[in-house]
Amino acid sequence: MTKDNENPSSTQTSRESDWEAGVRRTTKDGRLLALSPKPVTTGARAVDVNSWIRRKTEGWLDLQHGNLLFGAEFALMFLSLTVLVMMGGLAMTVDYYLGHNEFTWIPLLGLGGMNLLITVPWGLYMHFLGNKAVKETPPVRLNRQRREVALPRWTEGKEFKLPLWNDTVAGFTYIGVLFTIGWALTPFMNEYSSTEYRNSLVLEGLVLLGIELLVIGTYLCFALRLKKKYDPKLVYEIYPWEKLVAYIETRQDIGPGLMATHTVLTLAIPKPDDPESALAAASINVGHETAGLAQWECIRQFMENGPEACPDPKEDETLAHYKAKCRQARKEMSVLPWLGKKVGDWFFQRYLAHIITERRIKTLALKSLPDDLNAWSAPLPKEQWAKPSEALQGLNQQLTFAYERGLKFTQMGPVSEWQAGREEKRQQKRGRGRFRA
């Protein structure tokens, strides 16, 4: 099945009826194993192998991948670099004072300007890039009370270019700002000019810098707000749980001197007029078919048996987990390894990184979700909960007994054929019984 607005992939099907739990299909680049429609039990143990579960409540489950903690640590690393560079400038200033018995601002101003122009902008860029990534990777939400699935997709936006702005203009603007900052800092490096002359140059440089930043900031503010109107919009497609298409696909990608195998778990909503394409889809790399079954069982167990049967979200990115790890490390490590760990924790600002990550998970990621999704996620009275179909309940019961006898989901074939074969054996057994009678 292919996503909307994409070229057909090797996993597309020719008929909607081809999607059935247990079906195996050979594709152009590999093979796939269908898990749904009819999301039957697979007999696998529910394990959140790839940390796809992000939030879990009594009524709904969020699936959202991405290592948010690493992104926060990488951005905060530039803060530590800024502090280290300024400490180096302070050491150079003290060394110059001790050697020449006079004070100079040159090391601090030079290194401070370098931080202002390079380190701090890159750190801020990485931080806001992480925020943008969180907003642009919305979660998949499963509502067990309604027995429905909400998959995100982006509507088609219109191409919009900022007026009077391109890469060349951006480069000249950056160079102009650098030149103005250099103009404001130059008087401090000229020890022979008068104080009044220095102050006048600094004042002129700061006024010019303020005007430049005001003009550039105002332009970008209005331009980006205008661009936002043309950007793709986030919408959620609601679909019945028992009709959801789910499959594990194993592909072999061959490159120059390299062959790599990728196994992906995909959830998809087929387009009403074209079952070969997906109206909305979400995928995660699971590494192996067995891991994909374990990941799928997390989802299925939540929808069929409740939140107690589904693993909880991993706590690796929470501040409480980080504090507990630090206390445990202090007890188990000797002094030198523990000091090395603390240096690494400081350099990557892991305490602050966990705070930022928790904010992104609990606040930022949910703030950008549509209001209709929040209304759909509201809890229902228990008497209004949707019930599983009798066919699915009966099939799950039969498969549970079959798994106890040694049958494996990955070897049984399509569910309908398995049921037909089972019924045929039952009829044959009844016929033999009547003949003997």
Side-chain angles (χ1 to χ4, degrees), residues 244-301:
L244 179 73
V245 174
Y247 57 89
I248 301 172
E249 182 181 12
T250 302
R251 299 192 303 265
Q252 290 184 344
D253 299 328
I254 302 176
L258 176 66
M259 183 177 71
T261 301
H262 301 282
T263 304
V264 178
L265 170 63
T266 300
L267 312 179
I269 298 175
K271 296 178 68 175
D273 57 344
D274 183 11
E276 296 184 1
S277 300
L279 179 63
S283 302
I284 185 172
N285 195 336
V286 292
H288 191 271
E289 190 174 89
T290 304
L293 289 173
Q295 192 75 65
W296 166 250
E297 273 299 310
C298 293
I299 303 170
R300 200 198 64 80
Q301 288 285 356

Side-chain angles (χ1 to χ4, degrees), residues 125 128 132 135-136 158 160-166 170 215-233:
Y125 173 75
F128 289 113
K132 183 173 179 287
K135 295 178 181 179
E136 292 183 351
K158 298 180 181 179
F160 175 78
K161 294 183 179 180
L162 297 179
L164 306 176
W165 188 265
N166 52 42
V215 172
I216 296 172
T218 303
Y219 171 80
L220 291 179
C221 180
F222 282 101
L224 292 177
R225 287 181 67 88
L226 184 62
K227 181 178 180 296
K228 192 174 182 180
K229 294 182 179 180
Y230 294 88
D231 284 343
K233 300 296 186 295

